């Protein structure tokens, strides 16, 4: 029962800034902003929301098939996914394009500044959702705008329930478009900032939006998440992390666990609890695809 993951595959260049962005940005001088941050630590990781979610699902033992595009420089990413046991049949390599690239800088308070080059992801709409046989569930994670729109309609037409996860792609859509995507989806997952932006764009409250879905999940970092069902929110408390190392990919790790639980037929609150536990594991490691389940970790707990 393979889970489809529509979204981006990218390379992440991750930089650690030892200070605080707020100490170097003058609010009254933003119109002439010109700052440089010295980053002693730099590394390159495999990333992209679809890649991170697929990685998480494989750590949990779930079959997964990303629907995504890579540039010609991404063939070793394809080899990595194959080695992880990921079904790569729906990944398309586009020659003469770079793989999507994210340049992520994190300060000591875990604030982040990101520059993103979409590369091959901008042509993700040329890679439609095709084979959905035996697919119980999908997620629509951040991708090119046209790809998000078309994949949502393709999944809906195929009768595949899916999680709408607009992420950083949310500002690309109008309120009317976002409401349509919510109506096509079965669940939605957003962080607290994205949830506020979704409400602002659509003119609806979270309670109202949740009535279009089986559930609306709003992640709150260390505080856990709120699960909205039929207009009522339930707080699922966060899990303590052994260390706070790197927030990159925590949301994707949460979504992988959420998908795992939903695919198992769990109630959404139980799936969200697993999401909080996996998110706490991920934040203790660097990058989006380096965390592991401890040998004594009970997924079913």
């Amino acid at each position: 029962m393979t889970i489809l993951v529509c979204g981006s595959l990218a390379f992440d260049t991750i930089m650690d800034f030892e200070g605080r962005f707020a100490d170097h940005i003058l609010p009254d001088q933003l119109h002439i902003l010109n700052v440089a941050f010295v980053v002693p630590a730099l590394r390159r990781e495999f990333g992209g929301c679809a890649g991170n979610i697929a990685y998480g699902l494989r750590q949990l033992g779930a079959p997964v098939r990303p629907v995504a595009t890579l540039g010609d420089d991404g063939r070793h990413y394809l080899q990595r996914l194959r080695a992880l046991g990921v079904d790569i049949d729906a990944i398309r390599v586009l020659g003469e394009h770079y793989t999507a690239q994210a340049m992520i800088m994190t300060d000591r308070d875990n604030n982040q500044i990101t520059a993103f080059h979409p590369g091959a992801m901008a042509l993700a709409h040329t890679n439609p959702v095709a084979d959905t046989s035996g697919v119980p569930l999908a997620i629509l994670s951040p991708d090119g705008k046209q790809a998000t729109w078309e994949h949502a309609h393709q999944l809906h037409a195929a009768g595949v329930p899916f999680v709408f996860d607009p992420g950083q792609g949310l500002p690309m859509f109008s309120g009317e478009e976002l409401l349509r995507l919510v109506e096509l989806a079965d669940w939605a997952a957003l962080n607290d900032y994205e949830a506020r932006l979704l409400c602002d764009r659509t003119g609806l409250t979270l309670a109202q939006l949740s009535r279009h879905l089986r559930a609306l999940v709003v992640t709150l970092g260390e505080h856990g998440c709120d699960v909205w069902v039929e207009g009522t929110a339930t707080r699922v408390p966060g899990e303590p992390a052994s260390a706070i190392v790197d927030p990159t990919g925590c949301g994707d790790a949460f979504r992988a666990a959420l998908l795992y639980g939903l695919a198992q037929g769990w109630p959404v609150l139980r799936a969200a609890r697993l999401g909080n536990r996996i998110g706490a594991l991920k934040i203790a490691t660097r990058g989006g695809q380096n965390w592991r389940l401890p040998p004594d970790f009970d997924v079913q707990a």
Side-chain angles (χ1 to χ4, degrees), residues 67-134:
V67 180
T69 49
L70 282 169
D72 200 49
D73 59 336
R75 296 184 185 275
H76 62 298
Y77 200 158
L78 208 59
Q79 294 169 359
R80 169 183 167 79
L81 292 171
R82 185 188 291 113
L84 289 168
V86 173
D87 181 344
I88 62 171
D89 287 350
I91 298 175
R92 184 179 177 191
V93 177
L94 303 177
E96 301 182 0
H97 293 275
Y98 287 112
T99 297
Q101 315 270 332
M103 280 66 76
I104 304 166
M105 184 164 46
T106 305
D107 74 0
R108 64 187 300 178
D109 291 332
N110 283 326
N111 297 307
Q112 291 185 317
I113 295 175
T114 301
F116 185 72
H117 169 66
M121 192 195 79
L123 297 172
H125 59 277
T126 65
N127 187 29
V129 174
D131 181 12
T132 59
S133 57

Side-chain angles (χ1 to χ4, degrees), residues 30-204:
L30 291 178
H31 63 292
I32 54 170
L33 182 66
N34 186 358
V35 294
F37 301 101
V38 176
V39 287
L42 182 149
R43 65 194 184 279
R44 200 171 193 230
E45 304 276 3
F46 294 100
C49 293
N52 293 344
I53 294 170
Y55 176 87
L57 284 166
R58 290 305 300 141
Q59 295 304 301
L60 292 163
V64 58
R65 182 189 308 144
V67 180
T69 49
L70 282 169
D72 200 49
D73 59 336
R75 296 184 185 275
H76 62 298
Y77 200 158
L78 208 59
Q79 294 169 359
R80 169 183 167 79
L81 292 171
R82 185 188 291 113
L84 289 168
V86 173
D87 181 344
I88 62 171
D89 287 350
I91 298 175
R92 184 179 177 191
V93 177
L94 303 177
E96 301 182 0
H97 293 275
Y98 287 112
T99 297
Q101 315 270 332
M103 280 66 76
I104 304 166
M105 184 164 46
T106 305
D107 74 0
R108 64 187 300 178
D109 291 332
N110 283 326
N111 297 307
Q112 291 185 317
I113 295 175
T114 301
F116 185 72
H117 169 66
M121 192 195 79
L123 297 172
H125 59 277
T126 65
N127 187 29
V129 174
D131 181 12
T132 59
S133 57
V135 173
L137 181 66
I139 185 168
L140 201 63
S141 63
D143 209 341
K145 179 179 180 180
Q146 188 175 345
T148 298
W149 186 258
E150 294 185 10
H151 289 165
H153 286 81
Q154 290 159 4
L155 289 168
H156 183 75
V160 177
F162 69 91
V163 177
F164 178 43
D165 169 29
Q168 62 267 33
L170 194 154
M172 297 187 297
F173 297 94
S174 68
E176 182 179 353
E177 290 168 333
L178 287 167
L179 184 56
R180 176 57 179 159
L181 290 168
V182 167
E183 291 171 343
L184 291 172
D186 294 79
W187 303 270
L190 310 96
N191 65 29
D192 50 349
Y193 174 79
E194 294 157 359
R196 289 193 294 270
L197 182 57
L198 179 64
C199 291
D200 182 67
R201 287 287 174 94
T202 61
L204 299 178

